[in-house]
Amino acid sequence: MEKHRTSPLEISSKDFKSLGYKLIESISEFNETIANKPVTTGEKPKQLQGLLGNKSFPESGMSNETLLGQATDLLFNHSLFNGHPKFMGYITGSAAPIGALGDMLAATVNPNVGAFALGPMATEIEKQTIQWLAEFIGVSSDYGGVLVSGGNMANFTAFLAARAAKAPSDIKENGINSNSKKLMMYCSKSTHTWIDKAAILFGHGTKAIRWIETDADNKMNLEALELAITSDIKDGHEPFFVVGTAGDVSTGTVDDLEGIASICKLYDLWFHIDGAYGAPANILPELEMTFKGIKDADSIAIDPHKWLYSPLEAGCTLVKNPKHLVDAYSSHPEYYNFATENAEQNFYEYGLQNSRGFRALKIWLMLQQVGRKGYREMISEDVELSKLLYKLSNKHPELEAVTQHLSITTFRYIPKELSKDVIDKETYLNELNETLVNNLQQGGKVFVSNAIVRNAYCLRSCIVNFRTSKKDIEEIIDIVVAEGRKLHKELLSK
């Protein structure tokens, strides 16, 4: 009689070790040599499709060794590397190696962290991780929360908790249209586009958003905020939700969180902080005043896969009173047999997902690997490198430093001389710098993104990368200037 079922997916212990050792060797070499590779190959979709081949779903299987060898080659030689020391585009952190190992371990056990019974140790590790993240960014460890995929989901999760807390109590039964008063939300003009998605997807419509103007420092104008709130109340609407940004995506500006908190208290509104990028910088003592007011937030979004250097995906929603999450998300159909008599926490009651992967393990390992001291050192270095880029741009005769906040610097290329044929100087500079960003992103030497600052098209560098060094910053200046000169010459010739 057969003792064990044989399956095409099974790999023997001996073969698994052999495959694993080979893969780990390849990954180790990749990590060691990543700085010598181009940031990206800049290949187009058709080129990549050609590498994969136009073949149908295979009828028969292939050897594991061949498959892993192919996958390794495809990813190591045809990817954009956000762990490269010269990757500074968008806000994706350089992934910590221990996080990659953590993901492998998590996938092996494969707990479903939707319910305690399905992932008991994983649930407790996630709870502890959330507590540590709260302590990391300087709020009470009593904040509860849930790990999600990233910034959009972290902000959405908080948004729905806020609505459950502030909207009429019958909203679950009758929907938002049953309320005669329109539910209104407020944010600065520099707030991430997740707020548009939330308004649309959750039935409010974009007209429910009040986009508050910003001041000269790109912070939300508090007088304009209060005026918008009082005007809406006067018009019979119901304000319920205000977003403060802790590190906006374009320039890294942190809103006056304390001022926003005071207005929210005055009008009994939910105060949410989108700190997906910037909140971890509150670990630096010198930035304590910048983040003053963060402890008053009803909810905070933070992305460990940004400035905590976690591998994707890793976002987190923190809520001052976790009961608001349960009020928004808890559901108990008869086929759920997840008892809570022994104080088990079931994360399906805290967010949109029922089945949930074990995202917490990689973060839990990283937080312990380097501790508060290690993170303070790395985040401080990122900030100092960003300041260095601003300083070097400011000194260079062909560059203009525009803004510097947290670890984001914006700057632009300005030729020494402009032809008399260039009638509209600013339009030309915007075209030149937009083309420059596109060429740099395709070229593979450095990857920056863009920002529009006071109507000027700028190069934007965001350093959330433990591999970036002073040497990289100095080389980036030379790369940008060389490409800028080349493009300027080409554009003028046209």
Side-chain angles (χ1 to χ4, degrees):
M1 187 175 179
E2 187 180 46
K3 291 184 178 180
H4 300 289
R5 173 184 173 183
T6 58
S7 167
L9 278 175
E10 196 62 74
I11 301 176
S12 70
S13 176
K14 179 183 176 182
D15 288 346
F16 190 88
K17 286 179 184 178
S18 176
L19 291 166
Y21 291 153
K22 189 171 182 179
L23 181 60
I24 289 294
E25 284 179 5
S26 297
I27 293 171
S28 179
E29 183 182 356
F30 169 78
N31 285 336
E32 192 172 353
T33 61
I34 189 171
N36 302 326
K37 299 176 181 290
V39 184
T40 178
T41 58
E43 292 164 300
K44 305 300 182 186
K46 282 190 176 180
Q47 293 173 279
L48 299 176
Q49 291 158 16
L51 291 169
L52 292 176
N54 185 21
K55 52 189 178 183
S56 300
F57 175 53
E59 181 64 31
S60 301
M62 295 173 62
S63 78
N64 295 307
E65 188 171 5
T66 299
L67 284 170
L68 281 175
Q70 286 181 352
T72 302
D73 174 67
L74 289 170
L75 289 173
F76 283 178
N77 295 309
H78 305 280
S79 292
L80 179 145
F81 301 130
N82 50 41
H84 193 288
K86 289 188 178 68
F87 176 84
M88 300 175 184
Y90 311 110
I91 316 177
T92 307
S94 184
I98 197 171
L101 294 173
D103 266 347
M104 184 178 181
L105 178 56
T108 300
V109 178
N110 199 32
N112 182 343
V113 202
F116 176 86
L118 304 178
M121 180 51 71
T123 296
E124 293 306 313
I125 287 175
E126 181 161 344
K127 283 168 61 180
Q128 187 172 67
T129 301
I130 288 165
Q131 175 196 327
W132 288 350
L133 288 175
E135 294 175 11
F136 189 114
I137 66 168
V139 300
S140 170
S141 59
D142 291 334
Y143 273 68
V146 62
L147 292 178
V148 295
S149 58
N152 272 5
M153 290 305 299
N155 286 304
F156 289 170
T157 303
F159 179 90
L160 292 174
R163 192 174 72 178
K166 296 297 183 181
S169 58
D170 67 344
I171 191 171
K172 282 190 176 182
E173 291 80 19
N174 299 317
I176 61 171
N177 291 330
S178 63
N179 184 24
S180 60
K181 295 182 177 181
K182 191 174 182 67
L183 294 168
M184 306 301 295
M185 57 201 83
Y186 307 82
C187 61
S188 83
K189 288 185 176 180
S190 61
T191 301
H192 189 276
T193 188
W194 73 263
I195 190 73
D196 295 91
K197 291 183 182 179
I200 294 167
L201 295 173
F202 304 133
H204 296 265
T206 56
K207 289 185 178 179
I209 305 173
R210 294 289 184 248
W211 295 97
I212 309 303
E213 64 190 52
T214 54
D215 60 21
D217 295 323
N218 211 35
K219 295 183 179 183
M220 186 192 291
N221 185 310
L222 299 190
E223 290 184 7
L225 170 62
E226 189 164 13
L227 178 61
I229 292 168
T230 54
S231 296
D232 280 337
I233 293 172
K234 185 178 178 181
D235 291 341
H237 301 314
E238 187 168 350
F240 82 103
F241 187 74
V242 181
V243 182
T245 300
D248 84 88
V249 292
S250 293
T251 66
T253 299
V254 178
D255 280 331
D256 180 355
L257 304 179
E258 186 178 34
I260 297 172
S262 297
I263 292 173
C264 288
K265 286 177 184 176
L266 181 62
Y267 294 97
D268 191 27
L269 309 180
W270 183 284
F271 176 32
H272 173 67
I273 293 177
D274 180 356
Y277 154 57
N282 195 33
I283 201 170
L284 303 181
E286 60 268 30
L287 291 178
E288 182 180 355
M289 294 306 296
T290 301
F291 290 92
K292 192 174 182 184
I294 194 171
K295 294 179 180 179
D296 296 314
D298 294 296
S299 58
I300 304 166
I302 174 176
D303 277 5
H305 66 221
K306 289 186 169 74
W307 218 351
L308 297 187
Y309 317 105
S310 167
L312 291 156
E313 301 169 345
C316 180
T317 303
L318 296 171
V319 178
K320 180 176 284 187
N321 182 354
K323 181 179 179 294
H324 291 308
L325 289 172
V326 177
D327 290 344
Y329 297 104
S330 182
S331 177
H332 293 277
E334 61 183 19
Y335 48 84
Y336 278 17
N337 183 28
F338 303 127
T340 56
E341 289 87 0
N342 299 312
E344 298 102 334
Q345 181 167 314
N346 296 317
F347 275 109
Y348 76 84
E349 297 192 283
Y350 279 61
L352 290 160
Q353 287 181 275
N354 279 3
S355 298
R356 303 176 65 252
F358 191 12
R359 293 188 180 98
L361 184 60
K362 55 192 170 190
I363 307 167
W364 186 75
L365 290 169
M366 289 160 44
L367 292 174
Q368 293 179 92
Q369 182 196 7
V370 298
R372 182 180 296 275
K373 183 179 178 182
Y375 270 107
R376 187 178 287 145
E377 176 185 314
M378 292 185 293
I379 290 174
S380 178
E381 287 175 348
D382 286 347
V383 172
E384 290 306 310
L385 289 171
S386 179
K387 289 179 178 178
L388 175 62
L389 180 59
Y390 183 90
K391 178 183 175 182
L392 294 178
S393 299
N394 203 36
K395 285 174 60 178
H396 199 285
E398 293 170 78
L399 296 175
E400 178 187 33
V402 181
T403 64
Q404 197 288 315
H405 300 287
L406 299 183
S407 66
I408 294 179
T409 287
T410 62
F411 61 110
R412 60 181 186 160
Y413 176 74
I414 299 182
K416 282 184 179 179
E417 295 181 5
L418 283 176
S419 168
K420 293 179 181 178
D421 294 333
V422 178
I423 299 171
D424 189 337
K425 177 183 174 183
E426 287 304 312
T427 298
Y428 175 77
L429 289 176
N430 282 347
E431 180 187 355
L432 174 61
N433 280 277
E434 182 175 2
T435 308
L436 178 56
V437 168
N438 292 335
N439 282 24
L440 290 172
Q441 288 188 348
Q442 290 293 310
K445 293 180 180 179
V446 60
F447 196 101
V448 295
S449 57
N450 68 288
I452 308 296
V453 183
R454 297 184 286 275
N455 298 318
Y457 195 100
C458 301
L459 283 68
R460 171 189 166 281
S461 161
C462 179
I463 304 173
V464 284
N465 194 326
F466 60 83
R467 292 187 173 101
T468 304
S469 68
K470 180 182 176 183
K471 180 174 177 285
D472 292 305
I473 301 299
E474 293 168 345
E475 290 175 352
I476 284 168
I477 293 290
D478 294 336
I479 293 167
V480 169
V481 171
E483 186 64 24
R485 287 173 182 166
K486 175 185 166 188
L487 275 176
H488 176 52
K489 188 176 180 181
E490 290 176 1
L491 287 174
L492 285 183
S493 67
K494 293 178 182 179

